[in-house]
Amino acid sequence: MSTNHYLMSRKPVPFNYYFEYGQIKRWFLDVINQAQEFVRAGEIDKGIWTYETLIEHRYPNYKPYDLLIKLYRKHKDFENEQRILHHSISFFTDLKESQKEYVISLAMEYNMESVALEYINAGKKIHYYGGAFVLWDPVSVLSVWENNLSMLTQKTNEFN
């Protein structure tokens, strides 16, 4: 049975939760759009502040973190770049681990552990509720961030 068919026939999640989730998602998207507008308009400090707001609210998508890292690098603010790299690596490593534990426990309930592990080992995303929720995201940019942090740390150590 497809996820959409299951949702239509059983309605396992009350409508108000979808509504609340939609409101939160729209708020995050509005903040992202605002940050992008600031950057396009050359108001970099406002853009940085807006991306920092997303990070403060633990936005679970890596793109704003990556854009903020790039903004700090472009403006040669290596201290803040390093801070956000540390934070991003830590946040998404923890998020990945909790997602993995949840997906495996859920898969075990439905005797689908081998399928879940196959997706996880292949580095594929796992979606739920018709793609509305990402249950597992390999966050492939983590290795890039770790490499950038290592290079930045080396540069910082060379100058000290």
Side-chain angles (χ1 to χ4, degrees):
M1 173 182 310
S2 75
T3 304
N4 286 331
H5 185 261
Y6 179 84
L7 290 173
M8 296 309 243
S9 65
R10 295 195 177 73
K11 300 186 187 323
V13 177
F15 179 75
N16 64 319
Y17 290 152
Y18 286 112
F19 181 72
E20 289 172 18
Y21 174 74
Q23 286 181 311
I24 293 167
K25 191 173 180 177
R26 278 189 297 284
W27 182 83
F28 277 127
L29 292 175
D30 287 345
V31 173
I32 290 167
N33 288 334
Q34 185 180 34
Q36 291 171 342
E37 287 176 27
F38 284 141
V39 171
R40 273 193 293 269
E43 298 181 76
I44 303 303
D45 289 339
K46 287 182 181 178
I48 286 173
W49 181 85
T50 308
Y51 283 126
E52 289 274 2
T53 301
L54 287 167
I55 289 169
E56 182 180 320
H57 285 86
R58 302 172 51 87
Y59 184 63
N61 184 303
Y62 68 88
K63 290 176 185 174
Y65 295 76
D66 200 43
L67 292 170
L68 182 58
I69 290 165
K70 289 174 182 173
L71 281 173
Y72 281 134
R73 183 177 311 126
K74 183 178 179 180
H75 288 43
K76 299 187 185 332
D77 187 346
F78 301 120
E79 185 177 316
N80 278 315
E81 179 186 357
Q82 192 171 27
R83 176 181 60 82
I84 297 300
L85 280 165
H86 274 292
H87 175 80
S88 302
I89 291 166
S90 175
F91 176 73
F92 283 99
T93 299
D94 291 347
L95 182 61
K96 260 179 69 170
E97 190 56 37
S98 66
Q99 286 178 339
K100 182 178 178 180
E101 288 173 11
Y102 178 69
V103 165
I104 290 173
S105 70
L106 189 62
M108 287 171 70
E109 279 185 46
Y110 296 98
N111 203 20
M112 299 289 286
E113 187 176 7
S114 63
V115 174
L117 289 172
E118 184 179 312
Y119 269 70
I120 289 168
N121 292 333
K124 295 180 182 177
K125 281 187 181 180
I126 299 174
H127 296 279
Y128 198 55
Y129 285 120
F133 302 98
V134 175
L135 294 181
W136 162 257
D137 186 352
V139 191
S140 57
V141 75
L142 269 173
S143 59
V144 173
W145 289 343
E146 289 166 345
N147 186 43
N148 289 348
L149 180 59
S150 175
M151 291 187 328
L152 189 59
T153 303
Q154 281 180 340
K155 283 182 185 178
T156 304
N157 290 339
E158 288 174 7
F159 289 119
N160 290 336

